[in-house]
Amino acid sequence: MVNIPAAVIDWFAANGRDLPWRRPGYPAWGTLVSEFMLQQTPVVRVIPRLAEWLERWPTPASLAAEPSGEAVRAWDRLGYPRRALNLHAAAVAITDRHGGVVPSDVPSLLALPGVGDYTARAVSVFAFGERHPVVDVNTRRVIARAITGNGEPGPAHKRDLADMEAILPESDRDAQLANIAFMELGALVCTARSPRCDVCPIVEACAWRNAGYPEFAGKRAPTQKKFAGSDRQVRGLIMAELRASEVPVTLAEIDGVWPDDVQRARALAGLLADGLVVSVPGGFELPS
């Protein structure tokens, strides 16, 4: 009988990617920044920006000392710039509440601005070696297929943590490795569209394969709308205009970034409401 966690850990030892935040001695602050950046952004885009970020702001205190607008400017084209504001706010909170040291326990991490359950658990486990289940979409897909026999995991649910906890090894180190390994297996092998069952280390134990790969009949997870022509694209164009300028950007300049007056006005209003853009005499700029 295949020991699924052990097999996945062994596979990861031989096949896991060498990512900066997985290297020994990587700072907890770097792990936290990476988790913010990796939210809905591919790894390949995060790696160079993470290095630049940590070179400029190697500690929470160094980021907290800067205006929040500088964090938004440095975020550049990573997308979802609200994350930059939240990361800046988290740096301020870490500096004020924890003496500039990233906390290791989940409740303290959850109390930081912009930190949700996944990020809190990820930092606690990956930066400090605490034993908790950490579940992202890749982990959920591996568990759905290998353990429950479903081709897709469906929408996220609170039971996902219990499912991972049930197969998590007892030792802190093995639990940490299992969390990383299941994510990696889902990212590289047990992918959403083209699973590579021929190289999967747990193929013989996979409930979905052994059932003949049945079609998924449950509720599907929501899919993201196309970026082209969306409000997200317009917001990004406005943000790019502001990031490139050291002086207030006029309304006339913003009018030139997108032809649809209604959509452009809606995007600008949303950015103002989110605190990503502020109105000043002469136009608009990043927050200070």
Side-chain angles (χ1 to χ4, degrees), residues 170-181:
E170 287 300 319
S171 79
D172 292 350
R173 178 56 179 162
D174 284 349
Q176 181 190 53
L177 288 173
N179 278 308
I180 300 172

Side-chain angles (χ1 to χ4, degrees), residues 57-92:
W57 296 305
T59 64
S62 59
L63 176 58
E66 295 260 19
S68 59
E70 286 303 302
V72 176
R73 192 186 305 277
W75 201 255
D76 199 9
R77 293 180 298 277
L78 280 178
Y80 300 95
R82 182 73 189 175
R83 293 179 293 169
L85 281 184
N86 286 337
L87 183 53
H88 182 272
V92 172

Side-chain angles (χ1 to χ4, degrees), residues 1-87:
M1 183 175 180
V2 176
N3 182 322
I4 289 179
V8 176
I9 290 172
D10 287 345
W11 169 86
F12 175 77
N15 299 278
R17 290 170 291 179
D18 177 23
L19 301 178
W21 47 88
R22 291 177 179 169
R23 295 169 187 164
Y26 200 74
W29 168 239
T31 301
L32 179 62
V33 175
S34 74
E35 290 297 341
F36 268 80
M37 289 185 171
L38 286 165
Q39 296 167 16
Q40 298 179 295
T41 302
V43 166
V44 68
R45 291 179 58 198
V46 166
I47 290 175
R49 189 53 45 79
L50 176 64
E52 295 169 2
W53 189 282
L54 294 178
E55 182 176 358
R56 180 174 180 181
W57 296 305
T59 64
S62 59
L63 176 58
E66 295 260 19
S68 59
E70 286 303 302
V72 176
R73 192 186 305 277
W75 201 255
D76 199 9
R77 293 180 298 277
L78 280 178
Y80 300 95
R82 182 73 189 175
R83 293 179 293 169
L85 281 184
N86 286 337
L87 183 53

Side-chain angles (χ1 to χ4, degrees), residues 144-145 148-155 159 208 213-221:
R145 290 173 176 171
T148 64
N150 293 312
E152 296 182 26
R159 67 172 176 269
W208 185 46
Y213 301 110
E215 288 291 328
F216 180 68
K219 185 178 180 181
R220 298 180 183 273

Side-chain angles (χ1 to χ4, degrees), residues 1-12 142-143 145-148 164 167-169 178 181-182 185 200-207 210:
M1 183 175 180
V2 176
N3 182 322
I4 289 179
V8 176
I9 290 172
D10 287 345
W11 169 86
F12 175 77
V142 173
I143 291 175
R145 290 173 176 171
I147 307 299
T148 64
M164 186 62 188
I167 59 174
L168 209 59
F182 271 80
L185 187 66
C200 179
I202 55 174
V203 64
E204 293 182 3
C206 178
N210 291 335

